[in-house]
Amino acid sequence: MKNFFVYLVSLGHMCVDLPPGALPAVLPFFVLYNGLSYTEVAGLMFASSFLSSIVQPLFGYWADKSSREWYMALGIAMSGVGLGISGFFHNYWLIFAGITLMGLGCSFFHPEAARIVNRTSGEHRATGMGIFSVGGNAGFGIGPIIAAAALTAWGSGGTAIFAIFGLVMAAIMLWAVPRALSYTKTIEEKLVKTGKKVLQQGRNDWNAFGRLTIVIFCRSVANTSILAFLPLYCIHRFDISEAAASTLLAFLAIAGAFTTLAGGWLTDRLGLIRACKYGYVLMGPAFALLLFAPSVWWIYPIIALISFTLNGTYSAFVVLGQTYLSKNIGFASGVTLGLSSSIGGIITPLLGKLADIYGLELVIWILAGIGILCMIGAFLLPDPEKTGEPENIEAAKA
């Protein structure tokens, strides 16, 4: 039942991330049917990603104070309906409002979902978080395909399909989540009666969480920048076509799903700190290898290594953040899940300016340097067992 619930929340994660994943494919249709400018298009992307990521920690803090299992269902419905209704509007600000609703739905879902996955995954929290994260990867991967098919067939009104997905999945979550949580509570009560350990809240270590946040920011810069500059670098370096360069991003996305799962499995066996150290120690060299690849075919195994350093550590730093702030797991999830996905976009325009002046090779060297900063930061992270790892109920009673 616990495994089923983790997979169910992962499916919900896929549905809540379908609309933001589809948005880049929807935007050309908005330009075609509504004559939006590039500035207005950029505004919609801002409403979808950066704005929602910034408010996500606030929703996480709210979830810690007044958690309700229906938050997840509400977030899925808001996300689907937000994009679903935007296709029926022709006024820019009404479209903007729909996309903002979509982004807020994602912010509503993620902290509560990650908090509950942490609770229900037992001793395999990193594996559970890896399964949960792959659902989001799938949403971003499938979303553009659904959008292209629906809007080609039905015009801009084809966005309604995302509202249907969202409302159906929200109804499923409303039915299933209370039953799964009731089962989990029963299991925990049985463990207490038999004297076995049950993870409870410990204490917050804000100093450790602050160090982790710096690592997450550096990782976000690297993740956002490789998506922006890898195709351009390979076109410049190896003289390949734009279509061939786009396959590199597809390979990066596929590798990301596998390395996220593998990273969660390894983290449960290595431990949170060791998983971060082993992953980030490879980041700098992995980016540097891009500069020495003799042909574009060597880029693919290098991408797999880069993906492992970026995504294989994902479950580790999310669970580590929840452990450092064991009294505010929702807030910690909002920071680690929300800010890690887009906060690095603040630095990307600066790197683009440097590329215009000094060339793309300098950007790759900078990313290698950022990888070294991630490694240093990982080695400075304190062991959670010494900073407030959740205690078991029996110890707390004593």
Side-chain angles (χ1 to χ4, degrees):
M1 181 66 178
K2 290 171 68 176
N3 291 337
F4 166 78
F5 183 61
V6 172
Y7 285 108
L8 175 66
V9 177
S10 181
L11 182 61
H13 195 187
M14 184 190 76
C15 288
V16 82
D17 280 350
L18 273 177
L23 183 61
V26 172
L27 291 177
F29 290 90
F30 284 168
V31 173
L32 175 64
Y33 292 115
N34 302 309
L36 300 186
S37 67
Y38 292 135
T39 301
E40 290 172 329
V41 166
L44 295 180
M45 287 301 296
F46 173 82
S48 169
S49 58
F50 187 77
L51 184 62
S52 65
S53 296
I54 290 297
V55 301
Q56 199 165 137
L58 299 178
F59 281 98
Y61 182 79
W62 187 11
D64 287 326
K65 296 297 182 181
S66 58
S67 178
R68 300 289 186 277
E69 58 262 17
W70 51 264
Y71 284 178
M72 291 188 292
L74 178 61
I76 294 171
M78 288 170 62
S79 178
V81 171
L83 182 62
I85 63 176
S86 64
F88 294 90
F89 298 140
H90 298 286
N91 178 275
Y92 172 71
W93 291 110
L94 289 177
I95 297 174
F96 187 91
I99 300 303
T100 300
L101 178 65
M102 177 192 78
L104 293 177
C106 293
S107 297
F108 220 92
F109 173 87
H110 287 98
E112 177 69 8
R115 192 184 66 80
I116 290 180
V117 169
N118 177 283
R119 174 185 171 186
T120 57
S121 296
E123 297 178 353
H124 304 288
R125 291 180 292 166
T127 299
M129 197 59 62
I131 295 170
F132 170 73
S133 301
V134 167
N137 293 341
F140 275 95
I142 299 172
I145 299 174
I146 296 175
L151 274 71
T152 299
W154 301 305
S156 61
T159 57
I161 194 171
F162 294 99
I164 296 173
F165 282 138
L167 292 173
V168 170
M169 191 63 208
I172 293 173
M173 296 294 281
L174 281 175
W175 174 82
V177 170
R179 288 163 175 77
L181 290 181
S182 176
Y183 172 82
T184 300
K185 184 178 180 180
T186 301
I187 294 298
E188 290 176 349
E189 290 173 349
K190 289 181 179 179
L191 289 175
V192 171
K193 290 179 180 179
T194 58
K196 295 183 178 180
K197 292 183 177 181
V198 178
L199 294 180
Q200 286 285 80
Q201 290 182 345
R203 65 183 181 89
N204 289 344
D205 188 335
W206 290 99
N207 180 274
F209 188 76
R211 298 185 197 182
L212 178 64
T213 301
I214 295 173
V215 175
I216 290 173
F217 175 76
C218 292
R219 181 259 182 197
S220 181
V221 172
N223 187 58
T224 305
S225 299
I226 197 64
L227 292 173
F229 296 114
L230 178 64
L232 299 174
Y233 172 74
C234 291
I235 291 171
H236 165 75
R237 171 84 185 279
F238 302 109
D239 195 29
I240 62 176
S241 67
E242 287 77 5
S246 66
T247 63
L248 297 173
L249 291 181
F251 182 77
L252 182 63
I254 295 171
F258 284 102
T259 54
T260 299
L261 277 176
W265 183 83
L266 286 172
T267 297
D268 279 329
R269 283 148 183 82
L270 295 175
L272 299 173
I273 296 295
R274 291 174 66 189
C276 285
K277 290 178 178 178
Y278 291 165
Y280 291 132
V281 78
L282 298 172
M283 183 181 291
F287 279 110
L289 284 174
L290 292 172
L291 296 162
F292 301 99
S295 72
V296 71
W297 298 109
W298 284 90
I299 297 295
Y300 287 94
I302 295 173
I303 287 176
L305 180 59
I306 290 174
S307 177
F308 176 77
T309 67
L310 293 174
N311 301 297
T313 56
Y314 188 87
S315 298
F317 72 69
V318 172
V319 176
L320 192 58
Q322 294 172 333
T323 303
Y324 285 148
L325 298 188
S326 58
K327 288 187 176 181
N328 296 95
I329 289 178
F331 176 79
S333 302
V335 173
T336 54
L337 290 171
L339 298 188
S340 67
S341 64
S342 63
I343 194 67
I346 296 174
I347 304 298
T348 304
L350 175 60
L351 295 179
K353 185 67 174 178
L354 291 174
D356 286 332
I357 299 174
Y358 300 106
L360 287 165
E361 288 79 5
L362 176 63
V363 171
I364 302 301
W365 279 117
I366 292 174
L367 293 180
I370 290 173
I372 293 174
L373 291 178
C374 280
M375 178 193 68
I376 295 172
F379 277 85
L380 293 177
L381 294 174
D383 189 337
E385 293 184 357
K386 301 175 182 179
T387 60
E389 176 74 46
E391 303 165 350
N392 71 78
I393 288 178
E394 298 303 321
K397 289 180 179 179

